[in-house]
Amino acid sequence: MENKDLFQKVQNGYNCEQVEQYIAVLKAEYKKVFEYAKATESNNEKLKKICRSLSDENKALKAGGAAAAAPATDAAVLSSIDKIVKLSEEITRENVILRTKISK
């Protein structure tokens, strides 16, 4: 690798202090990227869990609709709607957190 004014040359090679500072900067940046990747992975798992819950709720609602012989009570319908609303709100909160982290 040629020296393209990245480091000053001293008598017998590169300026060791500058090289060490550059390596420290690279390590710090790598650590930030690694931590961001871990946080993103964690957020993805949370979102997958929420999506699975919504999917299960959707399947339960479809199964309940197929069994129309026993109509659901208003309380059961409201309970299902409340669950869906809460899960949707949780997805929205996670989305905002993820967008904030991405924009940094």
Side-chain angles (χ1 to χ4, degrees):
M1 178 171 146
E2 292 184 31
N3 180 21
K4 301 281 186 188
D5 297 327
L6 187 59
F7 308 111
Q8 294 176 354
K9 283 195 172 186
V10 292
Q11 186 170 348
N12 292 321
Y14 294 110
N15 183 324
C16 292
E17 184 179 334
Q18 287 182 344
V19 172
E20 288 171 1
Q21 288 174 350
Y22 182 70
I23 291 170
V25 167
L26 290 177
K27 284 181 180 179
E29 288 299 314
Y30 177 78
K31 184 177 179 181
K32 286 180 189 177
V33 169
F34 181 76
E35 288 171 354
Y36 175 76
K38 293 274 278 181
T40 301
E41 187 176 319
S42 174
N43 285 335
N44 284 344
E45 288 304 316
K46 287 179 190 176
L47 291 172
K48 285 179 186 177
K49 182 180 176 184
I50 292 168
C51 289
R52 283 190 292 271
S53 296
L54 282 171
S55 177
D56 292 344
E57 184 69 23
N58 191 30
K59 287 176 186 175
L61 286 172
K62 284 181 181 179
T73 64
D74 288 341
V77 171
L78 289 176
S79 174
S80 293
I81 291 171
D82 285 342
K83 286 180 185 177
I84 290 172
V85 168
K86 286 178 185 175
L87 290 170
S88 296
E89 289 171 350
E90 193 172 341
I91 283 179
T92 302
R93 281 192 302 273
E94 290 294 329
N95 188 14
V96 168
I97 290 168
L98 197 55
R99 285 178 186 261
T100 302
K101 287 182 180 181
I102 289 172
S103 67
K104 287 184 179 180

